[in-house]
Amino acid sequence: MQVRSRVLLLMLALALVAGVGPTAAKTLVHCAEAAPDSLNPQYSTSGNSYDVAQQIYEKLVNIKRGTLELEPQLATSWELSDAGRTIIFNLRQGVKWHRSKLFTPTRDFNADDVVFSFARQMDKSHPYHAVAGGRIYPAFHNLGLSTNLIAVEKLEPYKVRFRLKEPDAGIFYALASHAMSIQSAEYGASMLKAGTPEKVDLEPIGTGPFQLLRHLLDTEVRMRANREYWRGVPPLNQLVFIIAPDATVRYAKLKAGECHTMTYPNPADLDRMRQDKDVRLVAVDAMSVGYVAMNMQKKPFDDARVRLAINLAVDKKSILDQAYMGTGRAAVTPIPPGHWAFDARIGDLPHDPARAKALLAEAGLKDGFETELWTMPVVRPYNPAPRRIAEMIQGDLAKVGIKARIVTYEWGEYVRRVRFGEAPMAQYGWSSDEVDRFWSDLLSCEAAKPGNGNLARWCDPELDRLIIAARRTSDQEARKAYYFQAQALFRQGMPWIPVAHPQVFTAIRPEVMDFRVSPSTRLDFYGVDVQ
């Protein structure tokens, strides 16, 4: 009997450590569809990395939970001068850094941390600039900060100045990007002195509501509540991201109570979920686009006639009906319908295989050609069924003589390879809270450089001029005119098959309280509770 009691006590202790069972009611387990590709969001444009960063790090300004509205975060206020070229931020005082086995902070967050976080991205001679082992800072470049941000300067312990070459209407949304998360300069100095600067990125120290406990590659990210958090202790004691790429597996775990929330259910399961007493669906019309990029540095995709032919060959309605199952709207340009910058005058292209064949013949490809169609190994907010959609596109292309072999890789490897231009055609997508990022991150000349997000490698100086002009004015009507012109250029160039703008669903258990999803599809678990 004594042995049995000891076994039961041991099992209970293990359950407490694992964060399961009734005694761990304040642990929330989130079933994610993919792992973060980095714990330092400065290196990433991946939503999975940003979802983790949202819990650990903070920025000067933030996107308010469940909205697209800006709010102060580590900055309390700001002042603009010099026609918008200078911004002075007043910083929040009394903000504590996380503690870990590697590092015990001796001071609160201050201006030194802001300078450090931007200097490592700006200054190639900075000791932390190359810590990434050859990786770049894609968002910093794509948002125009690498060319427009002159300096970030400490004025006082809790005051910093940003100096720009030119005014930028999107600067505050750029600074709200998770890639602009603030890191500890003191932690950086400590790890540099110890000869382990990479620890700053692998074992992050932030000021956010949750602190990293453990990261098991491609398996789990475990965090605990920051009990010194300046906004108040989170209701949750622990937050766990479990990586489960298969939507069916995520749903089974949700049903079994192994997960409390799950992203991106299979559209085929939505009707069943609506009838399931153990599930509550939260839906949002996402600021997102799913597409297939055609790499214009690879023949025959350098020919506009071929790109147009491929668009005409693809039966987008069938994809929306059979893969999105009513949860998506046809994409015409990168900008989601209903957004103030969307040009509703541009209609979608028809499904016209006969014209597609004629265009291919005109381009000297009467008998078609062979290529590869790269498909993502994980579902994303903009693509609920990557393999199914790839197979449908493959079938449509075969009807006009194009033989497309489907290729895939593990998610992190897929992202790396497509960003360095290996794929002739590649599924991808984007979610954002700022219209400029649909252009700057995905279609600008800067983003066309190896490692960045312009997978089509489309560099049009006129498009760049329009993007920059839209940034330089705060007049929304003028910005709209520039973005309308950009969409007209996109239609002429057709660097993508623009597939869909999705409605995104998150499934949650009924005991989860105050859960909200932003139209940018990012997850923020501060304030969420489990009863």
Side-chain angles (χ1 to χ4, degrees), residues 293-307 310 360 363-365 368-373 402-403 421-425 455-457:
M294 293 173 277
N295 189 336
M296 293 164 62
Q297 292 181 348
K298 295 181 181 290
K299 289 185 177 297
F301 302 104
D302 58 339
D303 191 322
R305 293 169 296 186
V306 173
R307 299 194 300 274
I310 287 172
L360 289 173
L365 297 166
F369 62 94
E370 294 184 7
T371 188
E372 293 177 347
L373 172 58
I402 300 173
K403 297 177 182 178
E422 293 187 27
M425 300 178 70
L455 309 187
R457 298 298 186 260

Side-chain angles (χ1 to χ4, degrees), residues 373-414:
L373 172 58
W374 288 33
T375 181
M376 300 181 301
V378 297
V379 299
R380 303 299 300 125
Y382 44 76
N383 189 329
R387 183 77 188 193
R388 174 66 176 138
I389 291 171
E391 289 170 350
M392 295 179 74
I393 292 174
Q394 180 188 48
D396 288 339
L397 296 182
K399 293 173 185 176
V400 298
I402 300 173
K403 297 177 182 178
R405 183 170 68 91
I406 294 176
V407 173
T408 193
Y409 292 91
E410 174 273 328
W411 178 232
E413 185 69 6
Y414 181 91

Side-chain angles (χ1 to χ4, degrees), residues 2 55 187 194 209 218 235 246 323 506:
Q2 273 187 324
Q55 323 310 321
Y187 183 36
D218 297 328
D246 190 310
T506 303

Side-chain angles (χ1 to χ4, degrees), residues 46-78:
S46 160
N48 303 94
S49 296
Y50 287 177
D51 283 338
V52 173
Q54 173 78 24
Q55 323 310 321
I56 295 172
Y57 286 116
E58 293 182 297
K59 295 91 62 181
L60 293 174
V61 293
N62 187 45
I63 305 297
K64 190 181 298 183
R65 186 161 68 104
T67 74
L68 293 177
E69 299 172 22
L70 286 168
E71 64 178 359
Q73 196 166 65
L74 291 177
T76 57
S77 62
W78 46 84

Side-chain angles (χ1 to χ4, degrees), residues 188-508:
S190 175
M191 292 301 99
L192 195 63
K193 184 178 179 180
T196 57
E198 68 281 357
K199 293 289 188 182
V200 170
D201 300 333
L202 297 174
E203 300 183 35
I205 292 292
T207 60
F210 295 94
Q211 175 177 352
L212 181 72
L213 278 178
R214 182 172 71 203
H215 176 211
L216 301 178
L217 192 64
D218 297 328
T219 303
E220 173 188 292
V221 181
R222 183 175 292 267
M223 295 163 272
R224 70 181 176 201
N226 174 9
R227 305 202 68 79
E228 295 184 299
Y229 188 46
W230 61 271
R231 291 172 66 189
V233 181
L236 300 172
N237 297 324
Q238 287 198 39
L239 173 63
V240 184
F241 281 45
I242 297 294
I243 313 306
D246 190 310
T248 302
V249 172
R250 293 198 298 280
Y251 184 25
K253 286 180 175 290
L254 192 80
K255 286 278 294 176
E258 296 176 32
C259 293
H260 296 93
T261 60
M262 66 165 280
T263 38
Y264 318 131
N266 188 333
D269 290 333
L270 291 176
D271 285 342
R272 185 154 53 110
M273 287 181 163
R274 291 185 181 101
Q275 307 301 318
D276 191 335
K277 62 179 177 59
D278 295 324
V279 173
R280 182 158 55 92
L281 282 173
V282 179
V284 64
D285 289 324
M287 277 283 289
S288 186
V289 61
Y291 61 90
V292 177
M294 293 173 277
N295 189 336
M296 293 164 62
Q297 292 181 348
K298 295 181 181 290
K299 289 185 177 297
F301 302 104
D302 58 339
D303 191 322
R305 293 169 296 186
V306 173
R307 299 194 300 274
L308 177 57
I310 287 172
N311 270 277
L312 294 168
V314 172
D315 186 353
K316 198 180 297 182
K317 184 178 185 303
S318 291
I319 292 173
L320 291 168
D321 290 344
Q322 297 177 37
Y324 285 83
M325 296 185 175
T327 65
R329 296 176 64 177
V332 178
T333 76
I335 307 303
H339 191 278
W340 61 264
F342 173 69
D343 189 351
R345 300 170 302 177
I346 302 177
D348 200 6
L349 290 169
H351 174 48
D352 192 342
R355 189 179 170 210
K357 287 183 179 180
L359 283 167
L360 289 173
E362 186 181 316
L365 297 166
K366 181 180 178 182
D367 297 324
F369 62 94
E370 294 184 7
T371 188
E372 293 177 347
L373 172 58
W374 288 33
T375 181
M376 300 181 301
V378 297
V379 299
R380 303 299 300 125
Y382 44 76
N383 189 329
R387 183 77 188 193
R388 174 66 176 138
I389 291 171
E391 289 170 350
M392 295 179 74
I393 292 174
Q394 180 188 48
D396 288 339
L397 296 182
K399 293 173 185 176
V400 298
I402 300 173
K403 297 177 182 178
R405 183 170 68 91
I406 294 176
V407 173
T408 193
Y409 292 91
E410 174 273 328
W411 178 232
E413 185 69 6
Y414 181 91
V415 171
R416 187 188 69 79
R417 286 175 177 265
V418 298
R419 285 181 170 274
F420 279 92
E422 293 187 27
M425 300 178 70
Q427 288 180 336
Y428 217 64
W430 188 250
S431 302
S432 182
D433 34 49
E434 164 57 12
V435 62
D436 177 70
R437 296 200 64 184
F438 285 90
W439 300 106
S440 59
D441 286 55
L442 305 180
L443 293 162
S444 69
C445 290
E446 181 66 37
K449 294 177 180 178
N452 283 349
N454 186 343
L455 309 187
R457 298 298 186 260
W458 184 42
C459 176
D460 186 326
E462 176 61 13
L463 181 70
D464 267 22
R465 185 191 69 79
L466 294 169
I467 295 170
I468 293 168
R471 282 180 183 157
R472 299 294 180 257
T473 178
S474 57
D475 183 331
Q476 185 162 304
E477 287 304 310
R479 295 185 76 198
K480 182 187 292 187
Y482 289 126
Y483 289 133
F484 276 22
Q485 292 178 64
Q487 287 166 86
L489 280 180
F490 177 88
R491 167 51 66 84
Q492 291 174 22
M494 291 308 296
W496 301 348
I497 307 168
V499 178
H501 300 289
Q503 186 178 43
V504 172
F505 292 84
T506 303
I508 66 175

